Amino acid sequence: MLRSLVGSEMCIRDRYQRRVREIMSAMRSAVGRKTLFFDINETTLNLEPAQRVVDELGGHGAGQSWFDRLVQMSMVCSHTKQYDGFGPLASSAFGAVCQSRGVEVKEEEWARVKAELDVLQPHEDVVPGLDVLAAQGWRLVAFSNSPLASLTAQLQQAQLYNRYDAVLSVDGARAFKPALVCYEYALSECGVCLLYTSPSPRDS
């Protein structure tokens, strides 16, 4: 029994060391520019002006509730494999939040929110941060749940479009982040290979 346990332990150790060598070899052979993917709504572009309008229409705190509901709904859609675009989802989230507060809204009210979404500006640290990363050789990719046409227009009016090497929308994957297929799509579009590495023999 002891001899069997020792032999098994040596086998695991050998597999572990072999796996480490494979990982190190893959890392040394990796070529190409490093790539960073940036979320856009709220992470890059400041959502506060749109949230203030939602607050005006739906009451105090409605703006944050709307964004929270939007994120929640997009995740539900991802899990249930439903996709109808981010615009309709944002509008539905707005209507649901207002209804839960006893506020009746129509298309005109949503149009006010949409108008603010179209002209969002970047957070103060975005432009200098992107410039620093670009100078360091990073490839910068905008990757958003928003439709490509809307995303492109947003970045152009915010004077950010030319700071990205690529602009991608989940429309190409027909799913919302954080569904895995979205990231697989983005990596494929950018020609990036994602190498899963783990030295554990259990993952071999």
Side-chain angles (χ1 to χ4, degrees), residues 66-134:
W66 162 66
F67 186 67
D68 292 343
R69 179 69 65 90
L70 176 56
V71 171
Q72 181 186 53
M73 290 173 66
S74 68
M75 294 184 71
V76 169
C77 287
S78 292
H79 285 297
T80 56
K81 301 188 185 308
Q82 300 180 64
Y83 187 80
D84 192 31
F86 204 57
L89 201 66
S91 176
S92 295
F94 169 70
V97 166
C98 290
Q99 184 179 35
S100 71
R101 291 165 167 256
V103 178
E104 182 180 352
V105 291
K106 299 179 181 179
E107 287 297 323
E108 291 79 4
E109 283 77 19
W110 170 245
R112 286 185 56 193
V113 181
K114 179 66 167 57
E116 290 295 336
L117 291 173
D118 290 341
V119 294
L120 295 179
Q121 296 302 304
H123 291 285
E124 292 182 1
D125 60 345
V126 167
V127 170
L130 291 176
D131 289 345
V132 168
L133 291 168

Side-chain angles (χ1 to χ4, degrees), residues 2-15:
L2 179 59
R3 183 179 300 174
S4 176
L5 288 174
V6 171
S8 178
E9 184 66 28
M10 291 179 63
C11 180
I12 291 175
R13 185 185 63 188
D14 289 344
R15 290 177 62 190

Side-chain angles (χ1 to χ4, degrees), residues 101-198:
R101 291 165 167 256
V103 178
E104 182 180 352
V105 291
K106 299 179 181 179
E107 287 297 323
E108 291 79 4
E109 283 77 19
W110 170 245
R112 286 185 56 193
V113 181
K114 179 66 167 57
E116 290 295 336
L117 291 173
D118 290 341
V119 294
L120 295 179
Q121 296 302 304
H123 291 285
E124 292 182 1
D125 60 345
V126 167
V127 170
L130 291 176
D131 289 345
V132 168
L133 291 168
Q136 292 176 348
W138 287 89
R139 178 168 56 169
L140 311 178
V141 180
F143 184 39
S144 176
N145 275 334
S146 296
L148 185 58
S150 299
L151 173 61
T152 299
Q154 277 184 313
L155 294 177
Q156 287 176 336
Q157 66 82 29
Q159 299 184 2
L160 292 179
Y161 187 84
N162 291 331
R163 284 187 160 84
Y164 291 103
D165 297 291
V167 175
L168 299 176
S169 164
V170 298
D171 269 353
R174 303 287 302 171
F176 295 115
K177 295 184 289 181
L180 178 60
V181 66
C182 294
Y183 300 103
E184 291 175 335
Y185 163 76
L187 292 170
S188 175
E189 286 294 298
C190 294
V192 176
C193 293
L194 181 64
L195 176 66
Y196 173 74
T197 59
S198 172

